[in-house]
Amino acid sequence: MSYRIVEERLGATFECADDDVLLRAGLRASLPLAYECNAGGCGSCKFELLEGVVHDLWPTAPGLSPRDRGRGRRLACQSQPLSDCRIKMVGRGEATPAPAPARHAANLIGIEDLTHDMREFRFQTRTPANFLPGQYALVSLGEGAPRAYSMSNVGNDMGEWHFIIRRVPGGAVSSSLFRLALGTQVALDGPYGNAFLRPEVERSVICIAGGSGLSPMIGIARGLDRATLPPERTVDFFYGGRRAEDICGEALLRDLPRLGRQVRFHPIVSNDSVSWSGRVGMVHELVADLPAEAFTQTEFYLAGPPPMAEAVVSLLTRERAVPADRIHYDRFF
Ligand SMILES: Cc1cc2nc3c(=O)[nH]c(=O)nc-3n(C[C@H](O)[C@H](O)[C@H](O)COP(=O)(O)OP(=O)(O)OC[C@H]3O[C@@H](n4cnc5c(N)ncnc54)[C@H](O)[C@@H]3O)c2cc1C
Ligand code: FES
């Protein structure tokens, strides 16, 4: 069964299945709704419910402040309709060339360990994997809320969706994923996300990843490897981890047929140890060391935990005057 949703800001109407949420149903209808994480954390998908009834899947989601709640605001990524509704999104979304998201069954067809707690998972759907480099999908293992994971590969006709996932100690979904046997079926919903590769922009590229933010940045690098790059365009890849044993990704970059020898890899760890001879500190500190000209004609892509992403964005916009439209990022709430 589905309900009819009228969105007042765009003056648009769309159908939302009773097991779907307002945000994703609107995006499936190719509406440019405001959102970022799809996980209740960022607050970008706030809306006002003007008429109708919705079920709030996560009443304490951190994306809404007490003030928002007091004003009756809700999160479209956490709202399932219980009737036809009239809503008004608070923020303005952007139209993107990204494919509209859809729900698929996917089989686990491959796994590869990258570190003690990071693994690349390969899933396959029956239809082509239609997404842009750097986007993410929602993965569900039966009951419970889905989790967002970013693709580390590029769209393809074989239906392959690859994700580099960190096992979070005590994490409900990431820990369960590490126990899955090959051949297990999961529910996959995507693609989502606006931090995708803009291959048409002929600037040098800087990718900045923290922790599991590696996955979409490898996806961006793989996408760049397929694009036609002017010879003078450079690619720098910054990666921050906690300890020496967390650092990985350089081998994946070196495997790229075209960019492999050209890309510059800059690792940094926050905790010093005898097994580490490189830089110690936070990844934005390493980026801050770049010469001034590195910030003037460069496209920035970044992903990782919110504090890391916010430190990098603050450095770029406030201290290095990089225009916001040259910075593309996902915060992993
Ligand atoms: C856009 C995006 C892309 C991401 N990409 C990656 C990636 O490529 N690789 C990677 O390893 N991680 C990625 N993450 C993080 C990932 O989605 C999970 O947060 C992480 O794996 C921990 O999940 P868990 O179930 O193991 O831990 P848990 O501690 O069980 O869950 C943590 C997360 O679950 C969600 N959550 C918790 N409670 C509820 C609830 N009641 N209802 C709804 N949601 C709830 C919240 O988002 C929270 O952050 C990404 C996150 C986002 C937002
Ligand atoms: S998109 Fe809904 S809270 Fe982030």
Side-chain angles (χ1 to χ4, degrees):
M1 177 170 183
S2 70
Y3 294 108
R4 191 163 177 269
I5 314 298
V6 177
E7 202 285 306
E8 294 281 337
R9 177 182 272 280
L10 297 167
T13 301
F14 59 97
E15 292 291 311
C16 181
D18 57 1
D19 65 345
D20 206 353
V21 294
L22 299 181
L23 173 69
R24 300 201 269 277
L27 296 173
R28 291 185 216 293
S30 298
L31 296 180
L33 300 183
Y35 78 107
E36 183 188 340
C37 71
N38 239 309
C42 71
S44 308
C45 68
K46 276 181 246 183
F47 72 100
E48 286 160 16
L49 183 62
L50 306 176
E51 265 176 49
V53 187
V54 298
H55 170 53
D56 189 346
L57 293 170
W58 192 9
T60 57
L64 282 182
S65 66
R67 187 156 179 264
D68 287 323
R69 288 179 204 286
R71 296 168 78 183
R73 290 181 167 174
R74 295 158 185 275
L75 295 175
C77 70
Q78 303 298 326
S79 294
Q80 250 173 10
L82 296 174
S83 72
D84 291 345
C85 294
R86 202 160 60 85
I87 66 172
K88 184 169 184 197
M89 298 297 287
V90 173
R92 196 178 292 278
E94 51 181 299
T96 73
R103 300 196 256 196
H104 311 267
N107 280 322
L108 181 60
I109 57 162
I111 49 182
E112 187 180 337
D113 283 330
L114 301 182
T115 68
H116 61 108
D117 66 354
M118 297 259 278
R119 177 176 280 183
E120 191 166 52
F121 292 80
R122 297 179 186 156
F123 290 94
Q124 190 168 36
T125 52
R126 294 177 67 164
T127 49
N130 200 5
F131 60 85
L132 301 176
Q135 287 197 286
Y136 68 89
L138 301 173
V139 176
S140 303
L141 306 175
E143 293 298 303
R147 297 291 188 264
Y149 293 109
S150 309
M151 280 72 82
S152 56
N153 64 333
V154 297
N156 60 86
D157 289 339
M158 293 93 71
E160 292 203 19
W161 305 67
H162 301 178
F163 307 94
I164 297 174
I165 296 178
R166 189 173 86 84
R167 185 177 51 223
V168 175
V173 173
S174 64
S175 298
S176 303
L177 279 165
F178 274 70
R179 292 193 291 271
L180 291 188
L182 288 179
T184 305
Q185 197 172 83
V186 304
L188 196 153
D189 181 1
Y192 294 101
N194 293 325
F196 49 78
L197 176 66
R198 275 71 173 168
E200 69 286 358
V201 178
E202 295 195 343
R203 297 194 183 100
S204 289
V205 170
I206 293 183
C207 295
I208 308 164
S212 52
L214 184 69
S215 194
M217 293 303 104
I218 292 288
I220 294 281
R222 286 173 171 162
L224 278 170
D225 195 58
R226 301 267 183 105
T228 313
L229 296 180
E232 67 284 2
R233 191 158 115 164
T234 59
V235 181
D236 285 88
F237 197 105
F238 290 79
Y239 185 48
R242 289 192 191 130
R243 294 175 300 271
E245 59 268 33
D246 298 331
I247 297 300
C248 62
E250 185 170 9
L252 299 176
L253 295 171
R254 298 285 166 241
D255 278 349
L256 295 174
R258 291 162 61 182
L259 272 186
R261 277 197 279 172
Q262 184 190 334
V263 61
R264 294 181 293 225
F265 185 70
H266 310 271
I268 185 164
V269 300
S270 53
N271 297 355
D272 204 359
S273 71
V274 284
S275 56
W276 181 251
S277 55
R279 275 288 297 270
V280 177
M282 310 308 279
V283 72
H284 69 277
E285 295 165 359
L286 198 52
V287 177
D289 288 349
L290 287 169
E293 58 272 18
F295 297 91
T296 53
Q297 280 304 319
T298 307
E299 206 72 8
F300 290 86
Y301 296 90
L302 56 123
M308 168 255 154
E310 282 145 23
V312 174
V313 171
S314 168
L315 167 78
L316 297 180
T317 55
R318 295 192 192 161
E319 295 175 37
R320 298 295 185 274
V322 177
D325 64 357
R326 284 206 267 120
I327 308 171
H328 314 285
Y329 63 95
D330 271 326
R331 293 172 292 170
F332 287 9
F333 288 94

